[in-house]
Amino acid sequence: MENVQHFAMGQWLLVLAYLTSVVGCALGLACTLQARFAPTARGRLAWLALAALSIGGVGIWVMHFIAMLGFATPGMPVRYDVGRTVLSAILAVVSVFGGLLVFGVRTGFAWWRLIVAGVITGLAVNLMHYTGMWALEIKGSFGYDPGLVILSIVIAIVAATAALWFTVGLDRLLPRLAAGLVMGAAVTGMHYTGMAAVEVHLDMSAPDPSGSEVFTFLFPVFVLAAVTLAVPICAVLLAPPPGERRVSTGVEERVAVGDTPPPPRSVSVRGSGGSSRRERVP
């Protein structure tokens, strides 16, 4: 690969990209936990949509965007096609939402659902990554190392499968945070593996690339990311704890199927004077 840098702004971008992915993934897991105990189908879909925004929009796409801030071809311009960039963000959210729907995020576990959803989501995340690379324009052309591309696909599928499994396996805060750390590492690792697969061929005689500089839409991206995080955070903080909702739902289900208490029983009680009377007890 010719004179290309992946950390032109410093390696602190790697740390920021990773932490962003951890926050988005951990928040998304909190939303999926709420979806498991939502009393209605509409409520479950709403929680899954928030989870997809958190994991796909922030944990995956914003992480990718931050990491790409370090990509540079020194002395030569780098531009982005805004339409393709937006498309990659939509693909990230939709793919995660689709995986959550296929898996179901139910209390009942099915391995085939997990595997199918993990493969679909992992492939779609790779599609997002390479769509984002498609939006990149330089003085020259891109190529890819097939072996590293396949490795990035495998990492994405494993990460997506683990993420979906975490949605039904973790009910407490600390395990969810640990899961967010693992997911963030997997997503970030997938990104940089995909970037290692890139082969750049610069051409000084090529025309300057069209498109926008990354800093022209940097502010809107971070504003949207802040809003995308704020909505799920508020929803999770305002929602009742899943344990309380589980108890409430169980009571409602018993009432709905007519699970009434047994009728009162009569017992004989003998008084001090030898007389007896019958009293009803529950």
Side-chain angles (χ1 to χ4, degrees):
M1 182 161 45
E2 298 186 36
N3 191 19
V4 172
Q5 297 180 0
H6 293 290
F7 301 100
M9 296 179 62
Q11 294 190 355
W12 63 272
L13 274 180
L14 170 61
V15 177
L16 179 60
Y18 171 68
L19 293 178
T20 301
S21 183
V22 169
V23 171
C25 292
L27 181 57
L29 289 176
C31 291
T32 57
L33 180 61
Q34 293 288 341
R36 287 176 58 195
F37 302 107
T40 64
R42 180 178 296 181
R44 172 173 291 184
L45 286 176
W47 280 112
L48 291 183
L50 291 177
L53 281 173
S54 300
I55 297 175
V58 177
I60 297 174
W61 188 84
V62 175
M63 182 282 307
H64 169 88
F65 183 85
I66 292 174
M68 290 304 297
L69 293 176
F71 181 84
T73 55
M76 307 180 81
V78 175
R79 299 290 185 268
Y80 290 83
D81 184 292
V82 176
R84 295 173 186 176
T85 301
V86 172
L87 175 62
S88 68
I90 295 173
L91 285 174
V93 175
V94 172
S95 66
V96 173
F97 184 67
L100 292 174
L101 286 180
V102 170
F103 189 42
V105 195
R106 298 167 183 159
T107 53
F109 183 82
W111 279 107
W112 72 269
R113 283 182 177 271
L114 174 63
I115 294 172
V116 171
V119 171
I120 292 174
T121 306
L123 291 176
V125 168
N126 267 275
L127 179 62
M128 177 281 305
H129 174 81
Y130 291 107
T131 301
M133 293 302 299
W134 181 40
L136 195 61
E137 299 180 359
I138 61 172
K139 287 175 70 70
S141 61
F142 288 107
Y144 294 95
D145 182 308
L148 289 177
V149 169
I150 293 174
L151 179 59
S152 71
I153 293 174
V154 172
I155 292 174
I157 291 175
V158 172
T161 304
L164 293 172
W165 179 81
F166 285 147
T167 62
V168 297
L170 303 174
D171 289 353
R172 289 177 293 180
L173 177 61
L174 289 180
R176 287 203 308 273
L177 290 177
L181 293 172
V182 174
M183 289 173 60
V187 172
T188 307
M190 179 274 295
H191 169 81
Y192 283 104
T193 302
M195 292 305 297
V198 175
E199 298 175 349
V200 178
H201 307 286
L202 299 176
D203 184 0
M204 297 293 293
S205 62
D208 286 343
S210 58
S212 303
E213 292 185 1
V214 66
F215 293 101
T216 61
F217 53 95
L218 180 63
F219 180 73
V221 165
F222 279 101
V223 169
L224 289 175
V227 173
T228 302
L229 284 175
V231 174
I233 287 174
C234 292
V236 170
L237 291 178
L238 294 175
E244 292 183 6
R245 183 176 297 178
R246 190 182 327 183
V247 173
S248 175
T249 303
V251 172
E252 293 171 359
E253 289 177 353
R254 289 195 298 272
V255 172
V257 299
D259 186 8
T260 57
R265 296 177 291 108
S266 297
V267 297
S268 178
V269 178
R270 185 174 299 276
S272 58
S275 61
S276 63
R277 67 181 186 275
R278 301 187 67 83
E279 294 183 354
R280 296 170 68 85
V281 298

